[in-house]
Amino acid sequence: MMRGLREVKPYTDREKIALPARLPPSNVSLDEALLGRESARGFGSVPVQLAELAAVLQYAQSITRDNVDTDFPRPFRVTPSGGALYPLELYVWARRVDGLPAGLYHYDARDHNLDVLGAVDLEHAFVQQDLVKAAAAAIMVSAIFFRSVFKYGERGYRFVLLEAGHVM
């Protein structure tokens, strides 16, 4: 069953935008990032660079090991997943990203690119519309629950929620 599951949601009929392979270096250590974390209550008006967005997506969902020469049929990613089933899909609503037209995109973790889904206005879809209105980009998480529940039953639902916490 696991060999038959898709690793990422396919958007084969959509244009793809390659993300930069070379990512900007971090200017803070992991310790500084963890200890200095705080919730944002506002955003500046400066656009996000495409390489910065690519880094966030790569550190959230990218494939780290393909497992080609092993008995395990699925590649591993940056974040943990129950049974390495990876039910999560990331979407980007880009508003002010240099090098990327405004619109909705799906992150293809397999190829490290964006599937172009189109120009949409999602402000009305958020509870805190004023916060999102000021953001250069919003990253959204969706799940294909079957990837986990076929194996873990009701527990798979909880695994999906735990994984979403890891990714975000």
Side-chain angles (χ1 to χ4, degrees):
M1 181 66 169
M2 287 177 66
R3 290 185 195 282
L5 290 175
R6 292 185 171 126
E7 294 170 16
V8 296
K9 188 172 184 178
Y11 285 95
T12 55
D13 61 334
R14 301 298 179 143
E15 176 189 351
K16 298 196 176 290
I17 295 177
L19 291 171
R22 185 179 168 133
L23 302 176
S26 177
N27 58 2
V28 296
S29 70
L30 178 60
D31 293 345
E32 291 171 316
L34 293 174
L35 296 173
R37 192 216 66 80
E38 48 185 58
S39 297
R41 299 288 180 240
F43 302 103
S45 59
V46 177
V48 171
Q49 300 300 310
L50 184 58
E52 294 169 331
L53 176 63
V56 170
L57 294 170
Q58 183 167 343
Y59 297 144
Q61 270 293 79
S62 70
I63 293 174
T64 57
R65 191 169 80 212
D66 61 19
N67 290 324
V68 169
D69 297 326
T70 71
D71 292 333
F72 196 77
R74 308 219 7 120
F76 290 161
R77 296 190 187 185
V78 171
T79 53
S81 178
L85 297 170
Y86 301 102
L88 303 180
E89 300 286 337
L90 297 184
Y91 291 85
V92 176
W93 182 37
R95 299 178 47 111
R96 289 185 319 279
V97 178
D98 278 349
L100 192 63
L104 184 64
Y105 300 87
H106 168 260
Y107 177 60
D108 184 334
R110 175 50 119 180
D111 298 325
H112 188 59
N113 63 31
L114 294 174
D115 301 313
V116 180
L117 302 182
V120 294
D121 182 10
L122 295 177
E123 279 181 27
H124 64 281
F126 293 89
V127 174
Q128 293 179 306
Q129 293 175 7
D130 56 331
L131 187 62
V132 173
K133 194 181 295 186
I139 298 175
M140 299 166 283
V141 179
S142 74
I144 300 173
F145 284 89
F146 181 76
R147 288 186 193 160
S148 287
V149 298
F150 90 89
K151 182 175 183 178
Y152 295 110
E154 290 181 12
R155 218 174 5 152
Y157 179 82
R158 293 189 295 273
F159 288 166
V160 168
L161 298 179
L162 286 168
E163 291 174 34
H166 280 290
V167 168
M168 294 316 326

